[in-house]
Amino acid sequence: MREQTETDEHEVTIVGAGPTGLMMAGELALAGIEVTVLERRPTTDLVGTRARGFHSRTLEILDQRGLAERFLAEGTPVQALSFGSTPLDLTGFPTRHPYTLGLTQAPIERILLGWVEELGVRVRRGVEVTGFAQDDESVTVHLADGGSWRTAYLVGADGGRSVVRRAAGIVRQGPPPTRSHLLAEVETTREPPWGLRTDELGIHALSPAPGGVSVLVTEPRLGPATDPTLSDLAVALTAVYGTDFGVHGPRWITRFTDTTGQATAYRAGRVLIAGDAAHVHPPTGGQGIGLGVEDAVNLGWKLAQVVRGASPETLLDSYQAERHPATRRVLASVLTQAMLQRGDARTLALGETLAELTAGEQARRGLAGLLSGLDVRLDVRLDAGPEAGPEAGPERSDDIHPLLGRRVPDLDLETGPESDGDGPGATRVHALLRTGRWLLLDLGEPGTLDVTGWEDRVEHVPARLAPAGPGCPEPWQLPVVGPVPAPAAVLVRPDGHVAWVGDGTDAGLHETLSAWCGASAQVSR
């Protein structure tokens, strides 16, 4: 196969080689789509620590692609989930990963980069995108060096200041900021008092860093939307601690505010946005990596089916319909948590009231489900259509099967005729999703279900449940919801969400496959 050039038309181009862009590239490459990532940074070096980890659902998604062990080998599992001053313990949740994984963004990107390179994805560094023009057939990407790049579809994963979003004319909406914070790694001439402090201004923290001090400080006044200076940091430290501790030698300094913002649209024709390009928020709660990864796995298989011609372009509308409401829920919780990071009397009173309201076990489990990402339910009903989105909460009033639209539990399975749960036929649900294809998990009578015409997109796996494994103490348990009726079969999307639940017959199966996977090959012939 010849090397492609900038004058060729590429299938999909992603702008941004952060976690969202790399995850998206991997999803497309798994589906056999030719994808190139354009990254402005000339090297893999990062300024600052940025993300510090991710939660349970993100780990499950990474496990669905066979990547979880790579991250676990470098990160630290901790019980770090909380809402304000209310700790949330995931112990006992029906997941193999009932914890937060502490890991900074540099190794996260390195691991994902290694994966996409294994899949043959090309990452072009030092390439700055300045805009684009699109028509009905393709997108022409404009580059800072005067060149151009033609692609069938363009995905902007280029961060909160996304060039792609702005060039697409997509508006971002959200409340204005009320305060700003500085994050930095610096040297000091005097050792500061270590630990966390909360006062009328906000939250502050000083901790040791390799060769220096890690600083989080709330500024006395809302800072400008510009890169902060060492002088800004000194002023903020003095306002809180009465001294700047002789700060010097900054490795990096960055500013963020307490606002959130969300794009009004995630798609403009052949251009889509994901991750921080689609939504921004303060780092409170550690939601950033997870939201971007969930965007990527939701969009990846849909875009792949459209590029291959298996599904119409209208399938792409379900990306925003599903991800926009789900992300809006999380942003609302982040905004609330950020409000609680003050020590004034009003905030303390609010915190005490919330702590009392969330003292019950069910309330805490509901918050844990929201923040860990384990409670998301998408509206995948055929009467709603692929344009429908997730419910506003984990519960729904209708009488459809509670598994429908939720992430599939990672149950232990036996697929071989002689397997005892520990032999060649032993596997688990998430391991069956590693190819990135649709999965029909068939637990019923042999010969009842047939996916003829969809074999190129759907893996049909007859199986039976094995004895309960350590990560899932009882079969068919859902986070927050609890036990649910055991199905005879489930059709699972490549992103791990259940699209169809079988009752022992194939009622609705082919209709679901046609709506979400595209027409049967038999029909198309």
Side-chain angles (χ1 to χ4, degrees), residues 91-182:
T91 302
F93 262 54
T95 174
R96 296 179 191 271
H97 305 285
Y99 46 77
T100 294
L101 187 70
L103 189 63
T104 58
Q105 187 157 332
I108 292 172
E109 288 193 8
R110 173 170 44 78
I111 293 169
L112 287 174
L113 178 60
W115 176 53
V116 301
E117 287 178 341
E118 292 167 11
L119 295 173
V121 172
R122 187 170 61 150
V123 179
R124 291 171 53 94
R125 295 193 175 273
V127 179
E128 183 175 356
V129 172
T130 59
F132 65 84
Q134 66 170 313
D135 54 34
D136 292 340
E137 301 297 328
S138 65
V139 182
T140 300
V141 182
H142 304 313
L143 307 179
D145 64 4
S148 63
W149 182 274
R150 293 182 63 239
T151 185
Y153 289 90
L154 178 67
V155 179
D158 51 339
R161 300 177 182 177
S162 172
V163 170
V164 174
R165 177 184 64 79
R166 286 179 287 175
I170 298 174
V171 176
R172 189 171 67 200
Q173 294 181 340
T178 63
R179 67 184 190 273
S180 57
H181 314 263
L182 298 178

Side-chain angles (χ1 to χ4, degrees), residues 42-106:
T43 70
T44 58
D45 294 341
L46 285 171
V47 177
T49 57
R50 300 194 184 186
R52 295 182 181 270
F54 41 77
H55 303 307
S56 299
R57 182 56 188 149
T58 309
L59 275 163
E60 286 189 343
I61 291 171
L62 295 170
D63 192 15
Q64 290 171 192
R65 298 299 181 256
L67 299 173
E69 292 303 322
R70 303 190 194 188
F71 289 91
L72 290 168
E74 299 200 32
T76 304
V78 293
Q79 288 294 338
L81 206 61
S82 65
F83 189 92
S85 61
T86 303
L88 303 172
D89 191 350
L90 289 173
T91 302
F93 262 54
T95 174
R96 296 179 191 271
H97 305 285
Y99 46 77
T100 294
L101 187 70
L103 189 63
T104 58
Q105 187 157 332

Side-chain angles (χ1 to χ4, degrees), residues 195-512:
L196 186 69
R197 176 183 297 192
T198 305
D199 59 20
E200 290 79 4
L201 284 177
I203 189 170
H204 323 281
L206 300 170
S207 58
V213 177
S214 176
V215 177
L216 165 64
V217 62
T218 303
E219 294 187 275
R221 289 171 297 280
L222 180 65
T226 57
D227 292 333
T229 65
L230 185 62
S231 176
D232 293 332
L233 182 63
V235 168
L237 285 170
T238 302
V240 175
Y241 295 95
T243 176
D244 64 6
F245 306 107
V247 290
H248 63 280
R251 292 187 180 86
W252 54 269
I253 308 174
T254 188
R255 174 183 282 122
F256 67 92
T257 72
D258 62 345
T259 191
T260 63
Q262 189 171 21
T264 56
Y266 284 10
R267 177 190 174 203
R270 290 177 169 268
V271 178
L272 302 108
I273 56 175
D276 288 352
H279 37 76
V280 294
H281 54 86
T284 309
Q287 304 295 322
I289 294 288
L291 291 178
V293 167
E294 289 170 36
D295 286 350
V297 298
N298 186 288
L299 175 59
W301 64 270
K302 297 172 181 177
L303 184 53
Q305 287 183 188
V306 171
V307 171
R308 288 200 308 263
S311 295
E313 276 198 357
T314 53
L315 179 64
L316 298 177
D317 294 332
S318 70
Y319 166 55
Q320 175 173 341
E322 292 177 353
R323 289 302 302 153
H324 197 279
T327 299
R328 186 173 62 240
R329 290 182 64 218
V330 176
L331 295 185
S333 74
V334 171
L335 194 61
T336 303
Q337 292 180 77
M339 288 177 60
L340 296 173
Q341 292 180 330
R342 273 187 172 138
D344 61 280
R346 290 181 177 83
T347 305
L348 291 174
L350 175 62
E352 289 173 1
T353 301
L354 283 175
E356 185 175 334
L357 292 174
T358 56
E361 179 64 20
Q362 187 61 26
R364 291 195 181 204
R365 292 180 70 82
L367 285 173
L370 167 63
L371 299 184
S372 65
L374 292 172
D375 78 336
V376 173
R377 188 181 196 183
L378 309 179
D379 194 345
V380 298
R381 295 169 298 171
L382 294 185
D383 57 353
E387 294 78 18
E391 289 295 298
E395 300 302 326
R396 199 155 62 189
S397 60
D398 52 41
D399 59 356
I400 64 172
H401 197 288
L403 279 169
L404 194 65
R406 297 187 189 274
R407 35 71 85 189
V408 66
D410 188 20
L411 303 175
D412 291 302
L413 302 172
E414 296 176 353
T415 59
E418 305 298 330
S419 175
D420 60 0
D422 195 33
T427 187
R428 53 193 179 86
V429 176
H430 287 184
L432 296 175
L433 293 169
R434 290 182 178 173
T435 60
R437 300 175 67 202
W438 284 75
L439 168 67
L440 176 59
L441 182 60
D442 188 349
L443 304 168
E445 291 295 322
T448 303
L449 304 180
D450 181 16
V451 293
T452 301
W454 288 280
E455 303 98 319
D456 60 325
R457 285 153 279 174
V458 181
E459 186 172 1
H460 182 188
V461 179
R464 58 185 179 274
L465 294 181
C472 303
E474 295 180 35
W476 305 111
Q477 291 274 345
L478 291 176
V480 184
V481 175
V484 300
V490 288
L491 179 66
V492 186
R493 307 188 329 180
D495 57 12
H497 285 268
V498 176
W500 173 84
V501 181
D503 59 3
T505 72
D506 66 354
L509 174 60
H510 290 176
E511 292 85 351
T512 301

